[in-house]
Short mmCIF file of all heavy atoms in Angstrom, two decimals:
data_model
loop_
_atom_site.label_atom_id
_atom_site.label_comp_id
_atom_site.label_asym_id
_atom_site.label_seq_id
_atom_site.Cartn_x
_atom_site.Cartn_y
_atom_site.Cartn_z
N MET G 1 -162.06 -54.65 -201.26
CA MET G 1 -162.17 -55.91 -201.97
C MET G 1 -161.55 -57.00 -201.09
O MET G 1 -160.44 -56.87 -200.61
CB MET G 1 -161.44 -55.80 -203.30
CG MET G 1 -161.46 -57.12 -203.97
SD MET G 1 -161.11 -57.27 -205.60
CE MET G 1 -160.06 -56.72 -206.52
N GLN G 2 -162.27 -58.08 -200.92
CA GLN G 2 -161.79 -59.18 -200.09
C GLN G 2 -161.46 -60.37 -200.98
O GLN G 2 -162.26 -60.75 -201.84
CB GLN G 2 -162.86 -59.56 -199.08
CG GLN G 2 -162.41 -60.63 -198.12
CD GLN G 2 -163.50 -60.96 -197.11
OE1 GLN G 2 -164.65 -60.55 -197.25
NE2 GLN G 2 -163.14 -61.71 -196.11
N GLN G 3 -160.29 -60.92 -200.78
CA GLN G 3 -159.88 -62.08 -201.56
C GLN G 3 -159.89 -63.30 -200.65
O GLN G 3 -159.49 -63.23 -199.49
CB GLN G 3 -158.48 -61.89 -202.13
CG GLN G 3 -158.40 -60.82 -203.18
CD GLN G 3 -156.98 -60.70 -203.74
OE1 GLN G 3 -156.03 -61.18 -203.14
NE2 GLN G 3 -156.87 -60.06 -204.87
N THR G 4 -160.34 -64.39 -201.20
CA THR G 4 -160.33 -65.64 -200.46
C THR G 4 -159.27 -66.53 -201.08
O THR G 4 -159.30 -66.80 -202.27
CB THR G 4 -161.70 -66.33 -200.54
OG1 THR G 4 -162.70 -65.43 -200.08
CG2 THR G 4 -161.71 -67.58 -199.70
N ALA G 5 -158.34 -66.94 -200.25
CA ALA G 5 -157.28 -67.81 -200.74
C ALA G 5 -157.48 -69.20 -200.13
O ALA G 5 -157.65 -69.34 -198.94
CB ALA G 5 -155.92 -67.26 -200.34
N GLU G 6 -157.49 -70.18 -200.98
CA GLU G 6 -157.58 -71.54 -200.51
C GLU G 6 -156.17 -72.07 -200.31
O GLU G 6 -155.30 -71.86 -201.14
CB GLU G 6 -158.32 -72.42 -201.51
CG GLU G 6 -159.79 -72.14 -201.57
CD GLU G 6 -160.52 -73.17 -202.42
OE1 GLU G 6 -160.10 -74.33 -202.46
OE2 GLU G 6 -161.51 -72.78 -203.05
N THR G 7 -155.99 -72.72 -199.20
CA THR G 7 -154.69 -73.31 -198.94
C THR G 7 -154.86 -74.80 -198.72
O THR G 7 -155.86 -75.25 -198.18
CB THR G 7 -154.01 -72.69 -197.70
OG1 THR G 7 -154.87 -72.88 -196.58
CG2 THR G 7 -153.73 -71.23 -197.90
N SER G 8 -153.89 -75.52 -199.16
CA SER G 8 -153.88 -76.96 -198.97
C SER G 8 -152.83 -77.28 -197.92
O SER G 8 -151.65 -76.94 -198.09
CB SER G 8 -153.55 -77.66 -200.28
OG SER G 8 -153.44 -79.04 -200.07
N VAL G 9 -153.25 -77.89 -196.85
CA VAL G 9 -152.33 -78.21 -195.77
C VAL G 9 -152.28 -79.72 -195.60
O VAL G 9 -153.32 -80.37 -195.46
CB VAL G 9 -152.79 -77.54 -194.45
CG1 VAL G 9 -151.87 -77.93 -193.31
CG2 VAL G 9 -152.87 -76.04 -194.61
N ASP G 10 -151.09 -80.24 -195.61
CA ASP G 10 -150.90 -81.67 -195.39
C ASP G 10 -150.83 -81.89 -193.88
O ASP G 10 -149.88 -81.47 -193.24
CB ASP G 10 -149.64 -82.16 -196.08
CG ASP G 10 -149.43 -83.65 -195.90
OD1 ASP G 10 -150.34 -84.33 -195.39
OD2 ASP G 10 -148.35 -84.14 -196.27
N THR G 11 -151.83 -82.53 -193.35
CA THR G 11 -151.88 -82.75 -191.91
C THR G 11 -151.46 -84.16 -191.52
O THR G 11 -151.64 -84.57 -190.38
CB THR G 11 -153.29 -82.47 -191.37
OG1 THR G 11 -154.21 -83.36 -192.00
CG2 THR G 11 -153.70 -81.03 -191.59
N SER G 12 -150.89 -84.90 -192.44
CA SER G 12 -150.56 -86.30 -192.15
C SER G 12 -149.57 -86.44 -191.00
O SER G 12 -149.71 -87.35 -190.17
CB SER G 12 -150.05 -87.01 -193.40
OG SER G 12 -148.88 -86.38 -193.88
N ILE G 13 -148.59 -85.56 -190.92
CA ILE G 13 -147.63 -85.65 -189.82
C ILE G 13 -148.30 -85.31 -188.50
O ILE G 13 -148.11 -85.99 -187.49
CB ILE G 13 -146.40 -84.75 -190.07
CG1 ILE G 13 -145.60 -85.30 -191.24
CG2 ILE G 13 -145.52 -84.65 -188.83
CD1 ILE G 13 -144.44 -84.45 -191.66
N LEU G 14 -149.12 -84.28 -188.50
CA LEU G 14 -149.85 -83.91 -187.29
C LEU G 14 -150.77 -85.05 -186.86
O LEU G 14 -150.84 -85.40 -185.68
CB LEU G 14 -150.65 -82.63 -187.51
CG LEU G 14 -151.46 -82.14 -186.32
CD1 LEU G 14 -150.56 -81.88 -185.12
CD2 LEU G 14 -152.24 -80.89 -186.69
N ASP G 15 -151.47 -85.64 -187.81
CA ASP G 15 -152.36 -86.77 -187.50
C ASP G 15 -151.57 -87.92 -186.89
O ASP G 15 -152.02 -88.56 -185.93
CB ASP G 15 -153.09 -87.26 -188.76
CG ASP G 15 -154.08 -86.25 -189.29
OD1 ASP G 15 -154.50 -85.34 -188.54
OD2 ASP G 15 -154.43 -86.37 -190.49
N GLU G 16 -150.39 -88.19 -187.43
CA GLU G 16 -149.56 -89.27 -186.92
C GLU G 16 -149.06 -88.96 -185.50
O GLU G 16 -149.03 -89.83 -184.63
CB GLU G 16 -148.37 -89.52 -187.86
CG GLU G 16 -147.59 -90.77 -187.54
CD GLU G 16 -148.36 -92.07 -187.76
OE1 GLU G 16 -149.34 -92.07 -188.52
OE2 GLU G 16 -147.96 -93.08 -187.16
N MET G 17 -148.70 -87.71 -185.27
CA MET G 17 -148.25 -87.31 -183.93
C MET G 17 -149.38 -87.49 -182.91
O MET G 17 -149.15 -88.00 -181.81
CB MET G 17 -147.74 -85.87 -183.93
CG MET G 17 -146.42 -85.70 -184.63
SD MET G 17 -145.79 -84.03 -184.54
CE MET G 17 -145.35 -83.91 -182.82
N VAL G 18 -150.58 -87.06 -183.28
CA VAL G 18 -151.73 -87.21 -182.37
C VAL G 18 -151.97 -88.68 -182.09
O VAL G 18 -152.23 -89.08 -180.94
CB VAL G 18 -152.98 -86.53 -182.97
CG1 VAL G 18 -154.23 -86.89 -182.19
CG2 VAL G 18 -152.79 -85.02 -183.01
N HIS G 19 -151.86 -89.52 -183.10
CA HIS G 19 -152.05 -90.96 -182.93
C HIS G 19 -151.04 -91.51 -181.92
O HIS G 19 -151.39 -92.27 -181.00
CB HIS G 19 -151.91 -91.68 -184.27
CG HIS G 19 -151.81 -93.17 -184.14
ND1 HIS G 19 -152.89 -93.95 -183.87
CD2 HIS G 19 -150.74 -94.00 -184.22
CE1 HIS G 19 -152.49 -95.22 -183.79
NE2 HIS G 19 -151.20 -95.27 -184.00
N TRP G 20 -149.77 -91.14 -182.07
CA TRP G 20 -148.72 -91.63 -181.15
C TRP G 20 -148.95 -91.14 -179.73
O TRP G 20 -148.78 -91.88 -178.77
CB TRP G 20 -147.34 -91.22 -181.65
CG TRP G 20 -146.82 -92.16 -182.67
CD1 TRP G 20 -146.88 -92.02 -184.03
CD2 TRP G 20 -146.19 -93.42 -182.44
NE1 TRP G 20 -146.32 -93.11 -184.65
CE2 TRP G 20 -145.88 -93.98 -183.69
CE3 TRP G 20 -145.84 -94.11 -181.29
CZ2 TRP G 20 -145.25 -95.21 -183.83
CZ3 TRP G 20 -145.21 -95.34 -181.43
CH2 TRP G 20 -144.93 -95.87 -182.69
N ILE G 21 -149.32 -89.88 -179.58
CA ILE G 21 -149.57 -89.33 -178.25
C ILE G 21 -150.73 -90.08 -177.59
O ILE G 21 -150.63 -90.48 -176.42
CB ILE G 21 -149.85 -87.82 -178.31
CG1 ILE G 21 -148.58 -87.07 -178.72
CG2 ILE G 21 -150.37 -87.30 -176.98
CD1 ILE G 21 -148.78 -85.61 -179.08
N LYS G 22 -151.80 -90.30 -178.33
CA LYS G 22 -152.94 -91.04 -177.77
C LYS G 22 -152.56 -92.46 -177.41
O LYS G 22 -152.96 -92.98 -176.37
CB LYS G 22 -154.11 -91.06 -178.77
CG LYS G 22 -154.81 -89.74 -178.89
CD LYS G 22 -155.95 -89.81 -179.90
CE LYS G 22 -156.70 -88.51 -180.00
NZ LYS G 22 -157.80 -88.58 -180.98
N THR G 23 -151.76 -93.10 -178.26
CA THR G 23 -151.33 -94.48 -177.99
C THR G 23 -150.49 -94.54 -176.72
O THR G 23 -150.69 -95.42 -175.88
CB THR G 23 -150.52 -95.03 -179.18
OG1 THR G 23 -151.35 -95.00 -180.35
CG2 THR G 23 -150.05 -96.45 -178.93
N LEU G 24 -149.56 -93.61 -176.56
CA LEU G 24 -148.73 -93.60 -175.36
C LEU G 24 -149.57 -93.33 -174.11
O LEU G 24 -149.36 -93.95 -173.06
CB LEU G 24 -147.61 -92.56 -175.49
CG LEU G 24 -146.51 -92.93 -176.49
CD1 LEU G 24 -145.60 -91.72 -176.73
CD2 LEU G 24 -145.71 -94.12 -176.01
N LYS G 25 -150.53 -92.41 -174.22
CA LYS G 25 -151.41 -92.13 -173.09
C LYS G 25 -152.23 -93.36 -172.72
O LYS G 25 -152.45 -93.63 -171.54
CB LYS G 25 -152.33 -90.96 -173.40
CG LYS G 25 -151.63 -89.62 -173.36
CD LYS G 25 -152.50 -88.44 -173.76
CE LYS G 25 -153.95 -88.58 -173.48
NZ LYS G 25 -154.77 -87.46 -173.92
N ASP G 26 -152.67 -94.12 -173.72
CA ASP G 26 -153.48 -95.32 -173.47
C ASP G 26 -152.72 -96.39 -172.69
O ASP G 26 -153.33 -97.20 -172.01
CB ASP G 26 -153.99 -95.92 -174.79
CG ASP G 26 -155.07 -95.07 -175.44
OD1 ASP G 26 -155.62 -94.17 -174.77
OD2 ASP G 26 -155.36 -95.31 -176.64
N VAL G 27 -151.41 -96.40 -172.80
CA VAL G 27 -150.62 -97.40 -172.06
C VAL G 27 -150.05 -96.83 -170.76
O VAL G 27 -149.20 -97.44 -170.14
CB VAL G 27 -149.49 -98.01 -172.93
CG1 VAL G 27 -150.07 -98.77 -174.11
CG2 VAL G 27 -148.49 -96.96 -173.37
N GLY G 28 -150.53 -95.63 -170.37
CA GLY G 28 -150.18 -95.11 -169.06
C GLY G 28 -149.12 -94.02 -169.01
O GLY G 28 -148.72 -93.62 -167.92
N VAL G 29 -148.67 -93.56 -170.15
CA VAL G 29 -147.69 -92.47 -170.18
C VAL G 29 -148.43 -91.15 -169.96
O VAL G 29 -149.51 -90.96 -170.50
CB VAL G 29 -146.92 -92.45 -171.52
CG1 VAL G 29 -145.96 -91.29 -171.60
CG2 VAL G 29 -146.20 -93.78 -171.73
N SER G 30 -147.85 -90.26 -169.15
CA SER G 30 -148.51 -88.98 -168.90
C SER G 30 -148.61 -88.19 -170.21
O SER G 30 -147.78 -88.34 -171.10
CB SER G 30 -147.74 -88.17 -167.87
OG SER G 30 -146.57 -87.61 -168.44
N PRO G 31 -149.65 -87.35 -170.34
CA PRO G 31 -149.82 -86.57 -171.57
C PRO G 31 -148.59 -85.71 -171.91
O PRO G 31 -148.20 -85.64 -173.08
CB PRO G 31 -151.04 -85.69 -171.28
CG PRO G 31 -151.80 -86.45 -170.25
CD PRO G 31 -150.76 -87.15 -169.41
N ASP G 32 -147.99 -85.08 -170.92
CA ASP G 32 -146.81 -84.24 -171.17
C ASP G 32 -145.64 -85.07 -171.69
O ASP G 32 -144.96 -84.68 -172.63
CB ASP G 32 -146.39 -83.48 -169.91
CG ASP G 32 -147.37 -82.39 -169.54
OD1 ASP G 32 -148.15 -81.96 -170.41
OD2 ASP G 32 -147.34 -81.96 -168.37
N THR G 33 -145.40 -86.21 -171.05
CA THR G 33 -144.30 -87.08 -171.48
C THR G 33 -144.57 -87.67 -172.85
O THR G 33 -143.66 -87.76 -173.68
CB THR G 33 -144.08 -88.21 -170.45
OG1 THR G 33 -143.80 -87.61 -169.17
CG2 THR G 33 -142.92 -89.11 -170.85
N ALA G 34 -145.81 -88.05 -173.11
CA ALA G 34 -146.17 -88.59 -174.42
C ALA G 34 -145.93 -87.56 -175.51
O ALA G 34 -145.36 -87.87 -176.57
CB ALA G 34 -147.63 -89.04 -174.42
N ALA G 35 -146.33 -86.31 -175.26
CA ALA G 35 -146.12 -85.25 -176.24
C ALA G 35 -144.64 -84.98 -176.45
O ALA G 35 -144.18 -84.81 -177.59
CB ALA G 35 -146.84 -83.98 -175.79
N LYS G 36 -143.86 -84.95 -175.37
CA LYS G 36 -142.42 -84.68 -175.47
C LYS G 36 -141.71 -85.80 -176.24
O LYS G 36 -140.92 -85.54 -177.14
CB LYS G 36 -141.84 -84.55 -174.06
CG LYS G 36 -140.33 -84.40 -174.01
CD LYS G 36 -139.90 -83.02 -174.39
CE LYS G 36 -138.43 -82.83 -174.11
NZ LYS G 36 -137.66 -82.49 -175.28
N CYS G 37 -142.02 -87.05 -175.91
CA CYS G 37 -141.39 -88.19 -176.60
C CYS G 37 -141.74 -88.21 -178.08
O CYS G 37 -140.88 -88.43 -178.93
CB CYS G 37 -141.83 -89.50 -175.96
SG CYS G 37 -141.18 -89.77 -174.32
N THR G 38 -143.01 -87.96 -178.37
CA THR G 38 -143.45 -87.96 -179.77
C THR G 38 -142.78 -86.83 -180.55
O THR G 38 -142.30 -87.04 -181.66
CB THR G 38 -144.98 -87.83 -179.84
OG1 THR G 38 -145.56 -88.92 -179.10
CG2 THR G 38 -145.47 -87.87 -181.26
N SER G 39 -142.74 -85.65 -179.96
CA SER G 39 -142.08 -84.51 -180.63
C SER G 39 -140.62 -84.79 -180.88
O SER G 39 -140.10 -84.55 -181.97
CB SER G 39 -142.23 -83.24 -179.79
OG SER G 39 -143.58 -82.88 -179.69
N ASP G 40 -139.93 -85.31 -179.86
CA ASP G 40 -138.50 -85.63 -180.00
C ASP G 40 -138.27 -86.64 -181.12
O ASP G 40 -137.33 -86.52 -181.90
CB ASP G 40 -137.93 -86.17 -178.69
CG ASP G 40 -137.82 -85.12 -177.61
OD1 ASP G 40 -137.97 -83.90 -177.92
OD2 ASP G 40 -137.59 -85.50 -176.44
N PHE G 41 -139.15 -87.65 -181.20
CA PHE G 41 -139.02 -88.67 -182.23
C PHE G 41 -139.17 -88.06 -183.63
O PHE G 41 -138.34 -88.30 -184.51
CB PHE G 41 -140.07 -89.77 -182.04
CG PHE G 41 -140.10 -90.74 -183.18
CD1 PHE G 41 -139.16 -91.75 -183.27
CD2 PHE G 41 -141.05 -90.63 -184.18
CE1 PHE G 41 -139.16 -92.64 -184.34
CE2 PHE G 41 -141.07 -91.51 -185.24
CZ PHE G 41 -140.11 -92.52 -185.32
N PHE G 42 -140.21 -87.26 -183.82
CA PHE G 42 -140.44 -86.69 -185.14
C PHE G 42 -139.36 -85.67 -185.52
O PHE G 42 -138.97 -85.58 -186.68
CB PHE G 42 -141.83 -86.08 -185.25
CG PHE G 42 -142.89 -87.12 -185.55
CD1 PHE G 42 -143.56 -87.75 -184.52
CD2 PHE G 42 -143.17 -87.47 -186.84
CE1 PHE G 42 -144.51 -88.72 -184.79
CE2 PHE G 42 -144.12 -88.44 -187.13
CZ PHE G 42 -144.80 -89.06 -186.09
N ILE G 43 -138.84 -84.94 -184.56
CA ILE G 43 -137.74 -84.01 -184.84
C ILE G 43 -136.50 -84.79 -185.24
O ILE G 43 -135.84 -84.46 -186.22
CB ILE G 43 -137.47 -83.10 -183.62
CG1 ILE G 43 -138.62 -82.11 -183.46
CG2 ILE G 43 -136.13 -82.39 -183.76
CD1 ILE G 43 -138.59 -81.35 -182.15
N ALA G 44 -136.19 -85.86 -184.51
CA ALA G 44 -135.03 -86.69 -184.84
C ALA G 44 -135.19 -87.33 -186.21
O ALA G 44 -134.23 -87.38 -186.99
CB ALA G 44 -134.83 -87.77 -183.77
N ALA G 45 -136.38 -87.78 -186.54
CA ALA G 45 -136.62 -88.38 -187.85
C ALA G 45 -136.44 -87.35 -188.95
O ALA G 45 -135.86 -87.64 -190.00
CB ALA G 45 -138.02 -88.97 -187.91
N GLY G 46 -136.90 -86.14 -188.71
CA GLY G 46 -136.73 -85.06 -189.69
C GLY G 46 -135.28 -84.69 -189.89
O GLY G 46 -134.83 -84.48 -191.01
N VAL G 47 -134.53 -84.65 -188.81
CA VAL G 47 -133.10 -84.33 -188.89
C VAL G 47 -132.37 -85.43 -189.64
O VAL G 47 -131.54 -85.16 -190.50
CB VAL G 47 -132.50 -84.12 -187.49
CG1 VAL G 47 -130.98 -84.07 -187.54
CG2 VAL G 47 -133.05 -82.85 -186.86
N ALA G 48 -132.68 -86.68 -189.34
CA ALA G 48 -132.03 -87.80 -190.03
C ALA G 48 -132.32 -87.75 -191.52
O ALA G 48 -131.43 -87.96 -192.34
CB ALA G 48 -132.51 -89.12 -189.44
N THR G 49 -133.55 -87.45 -191.89
CA THR G 49 -133.91 -87.36 -193.31
C THR G 49 -133.17 -86.22 -193.98
O THR G 49 -132.65 -86.36 -195.08
CB THR G 49 -135.43 -87.17 -193.46
OG1 THR G 49 -136.09 -88.27 -192.85
CG2 THR G 49 -135.84 -87.08 -194.90
N THR G 50 -133.09 -85.09 -193.31
CA THR G 50 -132.38 -83.93 -193.86
C THR G 50 -130.90 -84.23 -194.03
O THR G 50 -130.31 -83.89 -195.04
CB THR G 50 -132.56 -82.71 -192.93
OG1 THR G 50 -133.96 -82.46 -192.81
CG2 THR G 50 -131.90 -81.48 -193.50
N GLU G 51 -130.30 -84.90 -193.05
CA GLU G 51 -128.89 -85.24 -193.15
C GLU G 51 -128.64 -86.18 -194.33
O GLU G 51 -127.63 -86.05 -195.02
CB GLU G 51 -128.40 -85.86 -191.85
CG GLU G 51 -128.27 -84.85 -190.73
CD GLU G 51 -127.90 -85.49 -189.40
OE1 GLU G 51 -127.88 -86.74 -189.31
OE2 GLU G 51 -127.65 -84.73 -188.45
N GLU G 52 -129.55 -87.12 -194.56
CA GLU G 52 -129.40 -88.03 -195.70
C GLU G 52 -129.44 -87.25 -197.01
O GLU G 52 -128.68 -87.54 -197.92
CB GLU G 52 -130.50 -89.09 -195.67
CG GLU G 52 -130.34 -90.09 -194.54
CD GLU G 52 -131.54 -91.02 -194.42
OE1 GLU G 52 -132.43 -90.97 -195.29
OE2 GLU G 52 -131.59 -91.77 -193.45
N VAL G 53 -130.33 -86.29 -197.10
CA VAL G 53 -130.43 -85.48 -198.32
C VAL G 53 -129.15 -84.69 -198.51
O VAL G 53 -128.60 -84.62 -199.60
CB VAL G 53 -131.66 -84.53 -198.24
CG1 VAL G 53 -131.63 -83.51 -199.37
CG2 VAL G 53 -132.94 -85.35 -198.29
N TRP G 54 -128.64 -84.08 -197.43
CA TRP G 54 -127.41 -83.32 -197.53
C TRP G 54 -126.24 -84.21 -197.91
O TRP G 54 -125.38 -83.83 -198.69
CB TRP G 54 -127.11 -82.60 -196.23
CG TRP G 54 -128.02 -81.44 -195.97
CD1 TRP G 54 -128.81 -80.78 -196.89
CD2 TRP G 54 -128.25 -80.79 -194.74
NE1 TRP G 54 -129.52 -79.79 -196.27
CE2 TRP G 54 -129.20 -79.76 -194.96
CE3 TRP G 54 -127.77 -80.99 -193.46
CZ2 TRP G 54 -129.64 -78.93 -193.94
CZ3 TRP G 54 -128.21 -80.16 -192.44
CH2 TRP G 54 -129.14 -79.14 -192.69
N ASP G 55 -126.19 -85.43 -197.36
CA ASP G 55 -125.11 -86.35 -197.71
C ASP G 55 -125.17 -86.71 -199.18
O ASP G 55 -124.16 -86.78 -199.86
CB ASP G 55 -125.19 -87.63 -196.87
CG ASP G 55 -124.77 -87.40 -195.42
OD1 ASP G 55 -124.13 -86.35 -195.14
OD2 ASP G 55 -125.06 -88.26 -194.58
N ASP G 56 -126.37 -86.93 -199.71
CA ASP G 56 -126.52 -87.27 -201.12
C ASP G 56 -126.07 -86.12 -202.01
O ASP G 56 -125.43 -86.32 -203.03
CB ASP G 56 -127.98 -87.63 -201.45
CG ASP G 56 -128.40 -88.96 -200.84
OD1 ASP G 56 -127.50 -89.73 -200.43
OD2 ASP G 56 -129.61 -89.22 -200.76
N GLU G 57 -126.39 -84.89 -201.62
CA GLU G 57 -125.99 -83.74 -202.41
C GLU G 57 -124.48 -83.57 -202.40
O GLU G 57 -123.89 -83.18 -203.38
CB GLU G 57 -126.68 -82.47 -201.88
CG GLU G 57 -128.16 -82.43 -202.17
CD GLU G 57 -128.84 -81.24 -201.55
OE1 GLU G 57 -128.15 -80.43 -200.89
OE2 GLU G 57 -130.06 -81.10 -201.73
N GLY G 58 -123.86 -83.88 -201.28
CA GLY G 58 -122.42 -83.75 -201.17
C GLY G 58 -121.69 -84.72 -202.08
O GLY G 58 -120.62 -84.43 -202.59
N ASP G 59 -122.27 -85.90 -202.29
CA ASP G 59 -121.63 -86.90 -203.14
C ASP G 59 -121.49 -86.41 -204.57
O ASP G 59 -120.52 -86.72 -205.25
CB ASP G 59 -122.44 -88.21 -203.13
CG ASP G 59 -122.38 -88.90 -201.77
OD1 ASP G 59 -121.49 -88.57 -200.97
OD2 ASP G 59 -123.24 -89.77 -201.52
N GLU G 60 -122.47 -85.64 -205.03
CA GLU G 60 -122.42 -85.14 -206.40
C GLU G 60 -121.27 -84.16 -206.61
O GLU G 60 -120.71 -84.09 -207.68
CB GLU G 60 -123.75 -84.47 -206.75
CG GLU G 60 -124.92 -85.43 -206.78
CD GLU G 60 -126.24 -84.71 -206.96
OE1 GLU G 60 -126.22 -83.49 -207.17
OE2 GLU G 60 -127.28 -85.38 -206.89
N GLU G 61 -120.95 -83.41 -205.56
CA GLU G 61 -119.91 -82.40 -205.69
C GLU G 61 -118.50 -82.99 -205.59
O GLU G 61 -117.54 -82.35 -205.98
CB GLU G 61 -120.09 -81.35 -204.59
CG GLU G 61 -121.37 -80.56 -204.74
CD GLU G 61 -121.59 -79.61 -203.59
OE1 GLU G 61 -120.65 -79.47 -202.76
OE2 GLU G 61 -122.67 -79.03 -203.51
N GLU G 62 -118.38 -84.21 -205.12
CA GLU G 62 -117.07 -84.81 -204.92
C GLU G 62 -116.66 -85.71 -206.08
O GLU G 62 -116.11 -86.77 -205.89
CB GLU G 62 -117.08 -85.59 -203.61
CG GLU G 62 -117.30 -84.73 -202.39
CD GLU G 62 -117.37 -85.56 -201.12
OE1 GLU G 62 -117.07 -86.77 -201.18
OE2 GLU G 62 -117.73 -85.01 -200.08
N GLU G 63 -116.91 -85.25 -207.28
CA GLU G 63 -116.54 -86.05 -208.45
C GLU G 63 -115.02 -85.91 -208.70
O GLU G 63 -114.45 -84.84 -208.58
CB GLU G 63 -117.30 -85.55 -209.67
CG GLU G 63 -118.79 -85.77 -209.56
CD GLU G 63 -119.52 -85.24 -210.76
OE1 GLU G 63 -118.86 -84.86 -211.76
OE2 GLU G 63 -120.75 -85.17 -210.72
N GLU G 64 -114.41 -87.03 -209.02
CA GLU G 64 -112.97 -87.00 -209.31
C GLU G 64 -112.76 -86.98 -210.82
O GLU G 64 -113.47 -87.62 -211.57
CB GLU G 64 -112.29 -88.23 -208.71
CG GLU G 64 -112.32 -88.22 -207.20
CD GLU G 64 -111.56 -89.39 -206.62
OE1 GLU G 64 -110.63 -89.88 -207.31
OE2 GLU G 64 -111.88 -89.80 -205.50
N PHE G 65 -111.76 -86.23 -211.23
CA PHE G 65 -111.48 -86.12 -212.66
C PHE G 65 -110.28 -86.90 -213.05
O PHE G 65 -109.36 -87.12 -212.42
CB PHE G 65 -111.28 -84.64 -213.04
CG PHE G 65 -112.52 -83.84 -212.85
CD1 PHE G 65 -112.74 -83.10 -211.70
CD2 PHE G 65 -113.49 -83.83 -213.83
CE1 PHE G 65 -113.88 -82.37 -211.53
CE2 PHE G 65 -114.64 -83.09 -213.66
CZ PHE G 65 -114.83 -82.35 -212.51
#
């Protein structure tokens, strides 16, 4: 018996990364450097967002009585 599973994948981040890489290449940045810069940017943005979430969660635990 074969089951078919449909999956929903949000490709918006991937689409945005491809857009940035193409834009950097269009202004003369090498493909490797464009990919590295774009990846570094999105990783840093993800880390910053995660840190903000962790900071917000920490505030709830520091209630004074």
Side-chain angles (χ1 to χ4, degrees):
M1 175 164 45
Q2 184 179 12
Q3 292 182 343
T4 304
E6 288 188 33
T7 58
S8 175
V9 177
D10 182 8
T11 61
S12 60
I13 292 175
L14 180 59
D15 293 341
E16 190 66 21
M17 288 184 71
V18 169
H19 168 76
W20 277 96
I21 292 169
K22 287 180 178 179
T23 300
L24 289 170
K25 285 176 30 182
D26 289 346
V27 297
V29 177
S30 75
D32 290 340
T33 302
K36 175 76 170 121
C37 291
T38 302
S39 296
D40 290 348
F41 172 79
F42 278 91
I43 289 169
V47 168
T49 301
T50 302
E51 287 175 353
E52 290 172 7
V53 169
W54 288 342
D55 287 344
D56 290 344
E57 289 176 0
D59 292 343
E60 294 173 6
E61 294 175 9
E62 296 177 10
E63 294 178 10
E64 293 184 27
F65 295 97

